Amino acid sequence: MNVLDLLRAAGPMLWVLLALSVYVVYLSAARAQALSRLGADARALTERARAVTAESGPAAALAEVDRAAHPSPAAQVLRAGLARADRGPEAAQSAMQSALLAEDARLYAGLGALGTAAQVGPLLGLLGTVIGMVRSFLVFSQTTNPTPAQLGTGISEALINTAAGLVVAIIAYVCRNALRLKADRLALQAEQVREDLPGWLTRPVTAARPAVAAPVPEVALNFGAAR
């Protein structure tokens, strides 16, 4: 039995599973490409921005980040914080929180759909299994002594759909977990920038120590008459 025979024996539910598998592969490849583009390491840029902030202030650091045009979420959060740094650490923290929420939406886009596909795939396979078994039992109502070939059609449809549903679910589950791990790593870098930047903007002020007058040496005066 070749592939075409299997497709014909599996019934219409297999085509739904094939369409779902194409969607899972396409979405996984698209999200992997997007995360690869966003996954450039931003640690060097962060350290450079920290040094520039300490030497020349947040405005110069913002210009440095803009020149780098780094695509990572950490760079976007850093840019948002430096842009509001002139209004104080609280304003910078609020701006970075908003930027972090936007970056999280970009990082985890599509992962929910892959999770749904991982759950729906076995259910569709189970539906195809039930349809195949129903066809097998209908043979008994149409034929008194059904042949193995007549029963085998429905059983083949049931088993093929079960296997196809499991394959789609496994692919979707593995791809979702791999993409989520990479998204978590990028989100952690952005979160670290959000936590560190307010400390850059708060410079401790060293209080001037009051000058202490030098002690005046005591001089013993003797007003007694010399003898």
Side-chain angles (χ1 to χ4, degrees):
M1 181 179 289
N2 54 28
V3 177
L4 293 178
D5 293 334
L6 287 175
L7 293 176
R8 284 193 292 266
M13 189 54 62
L14 182 62
W15 296 102
V16 178
L17 289 169
L18 288 176
L20 182 61
S21 66
V22 171
Y23 173 73
V24 167
V25 172
Y26 167 76
L27 183 58
S28 300
R31 293 309 306 161
Q33 183 179 7
L35 291 178
S36 178
R37 187 172 59 252
L38 297 175
D41 195 351
R43 285 178 293 183
L45 177 63
T46 303
E47 291 300 323
R48 191 161 66 250
R50 183 201 299 268
V52 174
T53 301
E55 294 176 2
S56 305
L62 178 60
E64 182 70 21
V65 173
D66 288 338
R67 280 195 300 270
H70 206 279
S72 67
Q76 302 302 324
V77 174
L78 180 61
R79 181 179 292 108
L82 291 174
R84 291 291 187 90
D86 56 340
R87 303 184 183 181
E90 292 79 8
Q93 185 80 13
S94 177
M96 286 189 295
Q97 181 64 31
S98 298
L100 186 61
L101 293 176
E103 293 303 316
D104 282 347
R106 283 206 305 164
L107 288 174
Y108 295 101
L111 298 186
L114 288 176
T116 302
Q119 295 176 348
V120 170
L123 296 179
L124 292 176
L126 180 61
L127 179 59
T129 302
V130 172
I131 294 175
M133 296 307 296
V134 168
R135 288 187 178 183
S136 295
F137 283 108
L138 286 177
V139 174
F140 288 97
S141 64
Q142 299 172 357
T143 306
T144 305
N145 295 317
T147 62
Q150 292 174 326
L151 293 175
T153 301
I155 296 174
S156 298
E157 179 178 352
L159 295 178
I160 292 173
N161 281 289
T162 301
L166 292 176
V167 169
V168 172
I170 291 171
I171 294 174
Y173 187 77
V174 171
C175 292
R176 176 184 178 272
N177 283 353
L179 293 172
R180 187 175 184 85
L181 286 176
K182 192 167 187 178
D184 287 342
R185 180 177 60 82
L186 296 176
L188 181 60
Q189 290 183 3
E191 180 70 24
Q192 186 175 1
V193 171
R194 185 181 70 88
E195 294 294 331
D196 293 345
L197 182 59
W200 307 356
L201 305 177
T202 306
R203 297 182 179 179
V205 180
T206 304
R209 298 179 61 183
V212 179
V216 179
E218 298 180 358
V219 179
L221 300 178
N222 187 5
F223 295 97
R227 296 181 181 180

